[in-house]
Amino acid sequence: MSTDADCPFCKIVAGEIPADVVHRTGSTVAFRDLNAQAPTHVLVVPTSHHENAAALAQAEPGVVAELVDTAHEVAVAEGLEGYRMVFNTGAAAGQSVFHVHLHVLGGRELAWPPG
Ligand code: 5GP
Ligand code: ZN
C-alpha cells in the first residue's frame, strides 16, 4: 500500500491526526471536512496514497467503486435526498490535498454550474 509521510490524509488514515470519521471499509475512510461547505460535507479517501482519481483508477480500479459505494452509504446515513460527489483534480480545479478524496456534499440546495 502506498503512503506519503507528509500527506495529511495518510496521517488521518493512520490515526496520527484526529478526524471525525463517519465510515470505514477495508480500503476507504470517510471523515467530515474541517471547513464544511454544506450541512453534510464528508471526504471519502482510499487508505492508500494516490494523487488523484485518475491515478487511483489506474492503480486500484476497484477502490474507485468502493469510494462511490461509501459516499452513497454516507448519504443514506445522513438522510440526504440528493447529494453531490466531487473529485477536484489538479490545482487549477481547486485541488489542495494531493491524496485523492471524494467530496460528498448535501443538506442544502446545490447550485449548478458550480463555481
Ligand atoms: P480539495 O480542495 O483538495 O478538493 O479538498 C481538500 C479538502 O480537505 C478541503 O475541503 C479542506 O477543508 C479539507 N481538509 C484539509 N485538511 C484537512 C484536515 O486535516 N482534516 C479534515 N477533516 N479536512 C481537511
Ligand atoms: Zn496520502
Side-chain angles (χ1 to χ4, degrees):
M1 195 181 81
S2 47
T3 58
D4 178 336
D6 297 324
C7 170
F9 292 175
C10 283
K11 289 179 182 170
I12 287 173
V13 167
E16 292 169 5
I17 61 174
D20 185 357
V21 173
V22 296
H23 199 275
R24 282 180 196 273
T25 68
S27 304
T28 72
V29 180
F31 52 91
R32 294 194 193 280
D33 196 296
L34 263 188
N35 184 23
Q37 300 300 316
T40 294
H41 187 174
V42 168
L43 304 174
V44 189
V45 305
T47 52
S48 57
H49 181 93
H50 299 280
E51 179 170 330
N52 57 39
L56 179 64
Q58 287 290 315
E60 300 185 69
V63 178
V64 178
E66 208 166 318
L67 291 182
V68 173
D69 280 343
T70 298
H72 182 68
E73 292 288 333
V74 168
V76 169
E78 299 270 315
L80 302 180
E81 285 184 21
Y83 58 96
R84 186 166 293 165
M85 292 190 270
V86 176
F87 287 113
N88 290 326
T89 304
Q95 186 176 4
S96 60
V97 177
F98 291 86
H99 178 135
V100 55
H101 47 282
L102 181 55
H103 292 260
V104 184
L105 295 142
R108 66 167 170 81
E109 286 290 314
L110 295 168
W112 192 263

